[in-house]
């Protein structure tokens, strides 16, 4: 599945188009089309790391040297599980830079490695966005990765708390619901007092007769 593999490599690595084309056995223009989403159909990326065809070490070698030719894994290396970046659906891959930019802007204490694991991208991509050398930096708008569907709120909160603890700073606490919580407590307390008062009146037979639900229009 060369086209699906190329789609994953374009989305998750900083390898050159020529390197990807060489590894997947495609023409460089085909890889360019996949990168620009101008291919005939949308492709679901196929992770060559999970398929034990490529290791992250091999990918990093290729990212460090544009002339490096990727080598497919063989033998015992194929059964080793690697910690590749999280897979993100093709439909959301264009949202990754926006999510990365949001984290960099709002939580600078989070390391590039942690961002890469959360979003499913490489340190090279994160570094390019951080120093504004990314090829599409002019169109990148910071957006909450949870809203974009790149991660869950629980995952993001856990990462923020862990990074804050490591950096020796106090993790942010959401206080937006404090006032609502206090109001609710007051309402419940008032209801409890009123219920007790009515119960005491009922015991003493002092409750007024209930009003009818409907008034008879012909009653004078």
């Amino acid at each position: 599945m060369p086209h699906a593999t190329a789609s994953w490599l374009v989305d998750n690595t900083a390898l050159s188009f020529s390197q990807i084309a060489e590894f997947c056995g495609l023409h460089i223009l085909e890889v360019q089309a996949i990168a620009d989403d101008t291919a005939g159909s949308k492709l679901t990326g196929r992770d060559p790391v999970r398929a034990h065809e490529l290791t992250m070490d091999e990918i990093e070698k290729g990212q460090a040297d544009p002339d490096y030719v990727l080598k497919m894994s063989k033998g015992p290396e194929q059964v080793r599980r690697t910690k590749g970046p999280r897979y993100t659906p093709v439909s959301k891959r264009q949202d990754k830079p926006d999510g990365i930019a949001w984290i960099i802007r709002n939580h600078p204490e989070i390391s590039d490695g942690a961002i890469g694991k959360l979003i499913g991208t490489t340190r090279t991509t994160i570094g390019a966005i951080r120093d504004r050398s990314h090829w599409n930096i002019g169109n990148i708008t910071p957006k909450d990765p949870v809203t974009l569907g790149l991660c869950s709120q629980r995952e993001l909160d856990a990462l923020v708390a862990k990074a804050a603890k490591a950096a020796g700073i106090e993790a942010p606490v959401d206080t937006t619901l404090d006032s609502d919580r206090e109001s609710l407590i007051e309402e419940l307390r008032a209801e409890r007092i009123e219920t007790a008062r009515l119960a005491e009146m009922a015991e003493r037979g002092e409750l007024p007769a209930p009003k009818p639900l409907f008034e008879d229009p012909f009653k004078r």
Side-chain angles (χ1 to χ4, degrees), residues 51-68:
H52 308 296
E53 296 173 351
L54 200 58
T55 65
M56 288 304 298
D57 288 341
E58 192 71 6
I59 290 177
E60 289 176 0
K61 289 179 183 178
Q63 292 177 152
D65 181 6
D67 296 324
Y68 182 79

Side-chain angles (χ1 to χ4, degrees), residues 4-214:
T5 301
S7 176
W8 189 94
L9 291 172
V10 166
D11 187 32
N12 293 278
T13 74
L15 295 170
S16 68
F17 291 161
S18 60
Q19 286 174 309
I20 296 174
E22 179 72 21
F23 180 78
C24 297
L26 301 174
H27 193 282
I28 190 172
L29 294 180
E30 292 181 277
V31 179
Q32 177 71 58
I34 292 172
D36 293 339
D37 284 337
T38 56
S41 60
K42 290 284 185 180
L43 296 172
T44 298
R46 176 178 177 274
D47 186 349
V49 178
R50 286 183 179 274
H52 308 296
E53 296 173 351
L54 200 58
T55 65
M56 288 304 298
D57 288 341
E58 192 71 6
I59 290 177
E60 289 176 0
K61 289 179 183 178
Q63 292 177 152
D65 181 6
D67 296 324
Y68 182 79
V69 178
L70 299 173
K71 298 179 179 63
M72 185 172 290
S73 300
K74 296 180 182 179
E77 290 295 324
Q78 293 182 337
V79 299
R80 288 176 55 189
R81 186 179 183 277
T82 59
K83 296 182 179 180
R86 162 188 296 190
Y87 170 71
T88 303
V90 176
S91 60
K92 294 185 179 298
R93 69 185 184 184
Q94 69 273 13
D95 295 331
K96 285 185 178 182
D98 293 345
I100 295 169
W102 187 92
I103 295 176
I104 291 174
R105 185 185 69 180
N106 293 280
H107 299 287
E109 70 277 9
I110 299 179
S111 68
D112 289 359
I115 296 174
K117 290 180 181 179
L118 180 71
I119 302 296
T121 187
T122 64
R123 293 173 186 265
T124 303
T125 300
I126 298 169
I129 295 174
R130 190 183 291 279
D131 63 21
R132 302 190 63 80
S133 62
H134 190 278
W135 66 273
N136 195 35
I137 193 65
N139 296 318
I140 295 177
T141 303
K143 295 179 183 177
D144 189 336
V146 176
T147 303
L148 295 174
L150 298 173
C151 65
S152 68
Q153 187 65 56
R154 178 175 297 180
E155 290 173 322
L156 179 60
D157 290 344
L159 184 61
V160 171
K162 182 177 180 180
K165 181 178 181 181
I169 60 178
E170 184 177 354
V173 178
D174 185 2
T175 60
T176 57
L177 297 179
D178 285 354
S179 59
D180 292 340
R181 187 180 297 110
E182 290 297 329
S183 298
L184 179 59
I185 291 174
E186 288 298 327
E187 289 179 10
L188 292 175
R189 183 180 294 115
E191 289 179 5
R192 195 161 55 245
I193 294 173
E194 180 66 12
T195 299
R197 186 182 69 82
L198 292 176
E200 291 177 358
M201 292 180 65
E203 289 180 358
R204 296 194 299 266
E206 298 176 356
L207 282 177
K211 294 182 179 180
L213 296 177
F214 301 99

